[in-house]
Amino acid sequence: MSRINLNHKHPMDAYLRTDRIPHIWCPGCGIGTVLEVFLTGLLKSGLALDKVVIVSGIGCTGRVAGYIKLDSFHTTHGRALPFATGLKLANPELKVVVFSGDGDLFSIGGNHFIHAARRNVDMTVLCVNNFTYGMTGGQAAPTTPLTARSTTSPYGNYEQPFNIPYLAAASGAVYVARWTAVHVRRLETSITEALLKKGFSLVEAISPCPTVYGRMNRQPTGLDHMKYYRENSIIKHDADPREVDIEQNGKIIVGKFVDIERPTFSDIQAQVLGKTFGAEAVATGAKRK
Amino acid sequence: MARKHLTGEFFMNGDIACAEGAISAGCRFFAGYPITPATEIAERMAERMPEVGGTFIQMEDEIASMAAILGASWAGAKSMTATSGPGFSLMMENIGLGIMMEAPCVVTDVQRAGPSTGLPTLVAQGDMMQARWGSHGCYSIIALSPSSAQEMYELTIRAFNLSEKYRLPVLLMADEAVAHMTEKVTIPPPEEIELYTRRKPDVPPQKYLPYLPGADLVPAMAIAGEGYGFHTTGLTHDEKGYPVMTAEEQEKLIRRLVEKIEVNKDDIIEYEEQGTEDAEVVVCSYGVSARISKFAVERARQEGIKAGMLKLVTVWPFPEGRIKRLAKKVKAFVVPEINCGQISLEVERCAGGAAKTIPVPHMGGSVHHPDTILDAIRKAAR
């Protein structure tokens, strides 16, 4: 039965810190899938990799920063976005990607999320949404569907969850898409589009957590999750973000929901400061020392 | 015409002087959130950053402000935030991240009376122990204490230099009285200001170890976007910057983070003395309290009391050696401070029973009356 060759090279090895493998993720977890899709989407974008920086918060997805062989920052819980804002504004040449989980970005980091989207800081946020706090053992998250069980909602969740695309769109994101770990090619396309989109872009990747979330919600294997996603996802581009709520055992509406143009933080900053200091002076901005 | 670096004599308050010190030091990124009595620093930076080609951003809170200056630091900018007690409390977690990632930056805390909302517009010095220990875990920190608008200017520059040299957030522990005091500030021409910038790696990316310490125990710092492909984390990590969850790595890393301050403390610690050669009573104070103490010491001398003054410029690391040596020859230390006695405990510990320590606590809202300090000196001299 030894069909797995551990010496076999992964096609993405050149972009991974292979000296840190094996990774910490459980069998059946979707984060590895999303990571590979991200790297594929990043390579397709044609962006200069030396200028791409990865910022993560804390949690299972937060560990992504430690596996990607680029300048990468594993910050504090919920604070990836303001850290990323500092990186981007101090050096506008950087392409800043925040790669983190639903609890990190939308619970403890929720305030930072709405403000980063409002400012339309030019960065891409990739949120792996597994509906739970995996690292700490499966507690309820602000994304946990109503009635779903978790270790802190043992009788079923009675808190209304966030609808992430709606929150992002309402806060000002210029690009919003949602896919699941089953939709690898579509997810890849959205990641490439988001990376090339000027402004604050968000891609939500719904992803299995069989070990803690699935175990408590009758999807004990990664395959159970994947089957569920395949059978229950409805692709609906341009769906009204208000109507893409996720219900326990319900349908999952996926697709590209928002793709609009809006001046970024730096665009407006240059315009406003340009009136006083001259367009030329502002364009070179942080590079002037 | 945009003003770049100001040079000359100015009549300005401590907050403004702090902002100008930051500009002189090369600070080109400021993130902050409005809070009395530090708001003027943010306002000044909002006006001045665009003039010098820097970036100002008002963040959604102090947590975000602290996170943003760490990000900016890794992008290569000299970065700063300024706040007061409630905001300082919120910054604690990311100050710890700055310690762990070794990210140079400056945090000014203009202290007001607490706890909680306390007396938002009135003076105190109650955050001195928070400055030392406020973030969780064990670490060393550098904190400076200015006593005048001129020192707000000069010590802000020093804070940047120390942060760049030793790679950590450096705290400027100001107080409302000094920050809102308007007096003469002399700003030298830029070429007369000594600046220090972080040591960059001198090896190619493949050979770069982000946390390999130099002889001074400080690692060379790559910045984002220059092809080094480095990783940094708030987790306990090895010289590669990779997380290692063992007691051995914790021992190694935390010892180094503490020792890089310890072995360089002669370069870091600054204090000023007056009349300590023959003093029997030494008043040890800092910030605005040091000014009032100085007045009380002069009065005591006029009364024939052999009083001296030890003004702390660097509060952390604490000038333990100096206190120990003085303790052998003086009768007592008098420690006036606007809190219930934080630094006095430190003086007492260092004196080690060789000399008495007399705290002169004051809960905040105003500065000490000089007579209160003078009375304490008289009692100590008896």
Side-chain angles (χ1 to χ4, degrees), chain A residues 19 51 71-72 74 76 112 119, chain B residues 60 94 225 229 231 233 240:
Chain A
D19 50 348
K51 298 291 175 199
D71 291 336
S72 56
H74 181 221
T76 39
H112 306 311
R119 291 186 189 108
Chain B
E60 52 271 21
N94 281 326
H231 178 62
T233 173
K240 283 183 179 171

Side-chain angles (χ1 to χ4, degrees), chain B residues 18-19 23 37 57 60 64 67 106 118 141 157 170 197 218 248 272 279 282 290 294 298 325 342 365 381:
Chain B
C18 173
I23 289 162
I57 185 165
E60 52 271 21
V106 172
I141 194 84
I157 299 174
V170 171
T197 306
V218 184
E248 290 74 20
E272 288 167 17
V282 167
K294 201 176 153 196
E298 283 161 9
R325 288 194 303 279
Q342 297 186 5

Side-chain angles (χ1 to χ4, degrees), chain A:
Chain A
M1 274 299 287
S2 75
R3 284 172 57 204
I4 300 170
N5 179 0
L6 289 176
N7 293 321
H8 202 78
K9 278 215 161 263
H10 188 277
M12 286 298 151
D13 271 358
Y15 309 100
L16 294 168
R17 298 180 189 277
T18 49
D19 50 348
R20 290 212 58 219
I21 304 295
H23 56 68
I24 63 153
W25 299 312
C26 306
C29 170
I31 298 170
T33 307
V34 179
L35 170 56
E36 208 223 304
V37 172
F38 167 73
L39 291 172
T40 319
L42 173 62
L43 295 177
K44 286 209 175 144
S45 74
L47 290 166
L49 296 182
D50 278 356
K51 298 291 175 199
V52 178
V53 299
I54 311 294
V55 187
S56 284
I58 297 296
C60 293
T61 311
R63 292 302 188 97
V64 159
Y67 297 120
I68 302 182
K69 208 155 84 184
L70 296 173
D71 291 336
S72 56
F73 300 90
H74 181 221
T75 66
T76 39
H77 197 19
R79 318 304 170 201
L81 278 165
F83 190 101
T85 301
L87 269 166
K88 178 67 186 174
L89 298 185
N91 183 1
E93 285 179 9
L94 299 175
K95 174 69 212 183
V96 179
V97 179
V98 171
F99 200 140
S100 216
D102 50 302
D104 184 79
L105 285 165
F106 293 100
S107 186
I108 189 165
N111 193 39
H112 306 311
F113 182 86
I114 59 173
H115 286 279
R118 168 181 69 81
R119 291 186 189 108
N120 200 22
V121 179
D122 184 21
M123 59 172 72
T124 296
V125 180
L126 179 49
C127 172
V128 175
N129 179 6
N130 57 14
F131 307 108
T132 194
Y133 288 90
M135 184 73 89
T136 45
Q139 294 75 33
T143 45
T144 306
L146 279 174
T147 75
R149 285 175 198 272
S150 75
T151 58
T152 50
S153 58
Y155 308 106
N157 176 33
Y158 40 80
E159 271 193 38
Q160 185 69 43
F162 269 138
N163 166 349
I164 292 175
Y166 183 28
L167 181 69
S171 305
V174 292
Y175 184 99
V176 180
R178 170 198 278 161
W179 299 103
T180 77
V182 152
H183 303 89
V184 290
R185 287 191 185 81
R186 292 178 170 96
L187 178 60
E188 180 195 300
T189 303
S190 277
I191 287 169
T192 306
E193 285 179 6
L195 288 169
L196 296 174
K197 182 84 188 177
K198 205 174 153 207
F200 187 88
S201 54
L202 170 92
V203 178
E204 178 187 9
I206 289 166
S207 166
C209 174
T211 305
V212 292
Y213 182 76
R215 179 170 53 85
M216 287 179 280
N217 291 287
R218 296 181 185 176
Q219 291 179 338
T221 70
L223 205 57
D224 295 329
H225 284 266
M226 297 297 251
K227 276 183 186 154
Y228 174 74
Y229 299 158
R230 199 184 60 188
E231 288 161 12
N232 292 281
S233 296
I234 301 169
I235 298 175
K236 205 172 160 191
H237 291 301
D238 301 319
D240 185 338
R242 285 175 296 185
E243 290 161 9
V244 301
D245 279 298
I246 291 174
E247 286 167 14
Q248 178 72 334
N249 303 321
K251 299 291 177 196
I252 303 172
I253 297 170
V254 295
K256 179 165 82 174
F257 306 139
V258 176
D259 190 354
I260 58 167
E261 303 303 322
R262 192 162 78 84
T264 66
F265 176 92
S266 301
D267 290 339
I268 305 173
Q269 183 193 38
Q271 201 180 18
V272 172
L273 294 180
K275 285 181 190 157
T276 304
F277 300 99
E280 188 65 21
V282 175
T284 48
K287 292 280 105 184
R288 284 185 293 140
K289 290 274 154 68

